[in-house]
Amino acid sequence: MPESEPAPTPEPEPAEAPAPTATDRSAKRAVTVFPLLVIAAGVVGVLTPSSFTGWAPAVPWLLGIVMFSMGLTLTLPDFTAVARRPWAVGLGLVAHYVIMPGLGWLIATVLDLPPQLAAGVILVGCAPSGTASNVVTYLARGDVALSVSVATVSTLVAPLVTPPLTLLLAGQFLDVDAGSMVTDILKTVLVPVLLGFLVRVLAGRYVDKALRFLPWISAVTIAVIVLAVVSGSAALIKDAAALVFLAVVLHNGLGLALGYASGKLARLGKPASRAMAFEVGMQNSGLAASLAGAHFSPAAALPAAVFSVWHNVSGALVAAWMARSARRERQPGPAAARDST
């Protein structure tokens, strides 16, 4: 993802970064610790799977907690921001639901994945944007408003988009009940998000006091989801771990690169292009794991569990690199200083 070529119509970055709030600092710490929590959960699930027998049915409820927390972070200005930038938000939505599903199918085909794993990789690609993408965009000095808008819209339209895409791309590997999948997404994603938003509207003063705890609630809950998913497919991990990891790294890495490239090609500017990278490359892997376990098998949920770990590690690393690049661009070097004299 080159940062050296200036965009024809760049969006100006603020001269001074806003002072981080307590919520910002909490979110930054949570997104930093989150991969460690998920890795620990995965290791525990592999080593002692029998200790968590019967946890799988709780995954949809746990995902509902995560999505309710997401709804609590939304405000009315988040929705008006979509109306103010329909072109950029529309581009982000199309890029997300074209690039990642297409990459999922391509990777599953090229690597000749077994049907269950292929369906799982494709399902990850068809999921909405990841819940941590907004925080990672902030850390990368990206366009947070655009990130929030794309993440919100991709989540709200997921019941209409994820099932038919999964049917189209994964149907050649396994039978897909798209109708039942719509119902599950409505129950575990859309309804909790809207309930959380309603609570924010009606009791915003009280919710604001709890905002800094929400990233931690989401992080711990997703770690428990990974624990349940991994423990249910522990026997398969030893046989397929390397292949699944390769598929996940390719899926996430190409998604980040192509997401950034789509913003550059559309001349959105560097901050918006950074946001596009994370909105395309980071997926709601908790939803993918829940749907895979409910509609396919524990093996199909394995790519989502690995993706949940990896995309947060890669997202944090790419965000740090982008933030350093942004700081260097704002500081003229010796040559620029000599030219200005």
Side-chain angles (χ1 to χ4, degrees), residues 76-299:
L76 287 174
D78 292 332
F79 292 93
T80 58
V82 175
R84 287 197 301 266
R85 307 174 68 183
W87 155 246
V89 176
L91 175 64
L93 189 65
V94 171
H96 179 87
Y97 279 118
V98 170
I99 291 174
M100 291 304 279
L103 284 174
W105 177 86
L106 181 63
I107 290 168
T109 302
V110 171
L111 295 182
D112 194 22
L113 296 178
Q116 297 288 345
L117 295 180
V121 170
I122 291 171
L123 186 52
V124 169
C126 295
S129 182
T131 55
S133 60
N134 304 151
V135 177
V136 176
T137 298
Y138 168 79
L139 298 178
R141 296 183 60 84
D143 189 331
V144 178
L146 177 61
S147 175
V148 171
S149 296
V150 174
T152 301
V153 176
S154 74
T155 300
L156 295 178
V157 303
L160 301 176
V161 179
T162 298
L165 275 177
T166 306
L167 175 62
L168 174 66
L169 299 174
Q172 62 181 286
F173 298 100
L174 291 174
D175 291 333
V176 178
D177 186 349
S180 177
M181 195 174 289
V182 170
T183 303
D184 284 350
I185 297 176
L186 286 172
K187 291 189 298 185
T188 60
V189 175
L190 190 59
V191 171
V193 168
L194 294 179
L195 284 176
F197 173 68
L198 182 61
V199 171
R200 179 70 182 271
V201 171
L202 297 178
R205 181 173 56 182
Y206 302 101
V207 174
D208 289 343
K209 297 178 181 179
L211 281 179
R212 66 179 182 272
F213 301 111
L214 295 182
W216 290 101
I217 293 173
S218 296
V220 172
T221 305
I222 292 176
V224 176
I225 291 174
V226 171
L227 175 61
V229 171
V230 169
S231 62
S233 55
L236 302 169
I237 291 178
K238 297 176 182 178
D239 296 330
L243 187 60
V244 171
F245 185 72
L246 174 61
V248 165
V249 170
L250 289 173
H251 201 181
N252 171 242
L254 291 172
L256 292 171
L258 292 177
Y260 184 87
S262 65
K264 294 285 284 183
L265 289 173
R267 302 184 177 184
L268 295 182
K270 289 182 180 178
S273 296
R274 296 180 194 124
M276 291 283 287
F278 298 116
E279 290 310 317
V280 171
M282 298 184 72
Q283 302 293 93
N284 189 334
S285 48
L287 173 62
S290 175
L291 293 175
H295 294 271
F296 300 138
S297 71

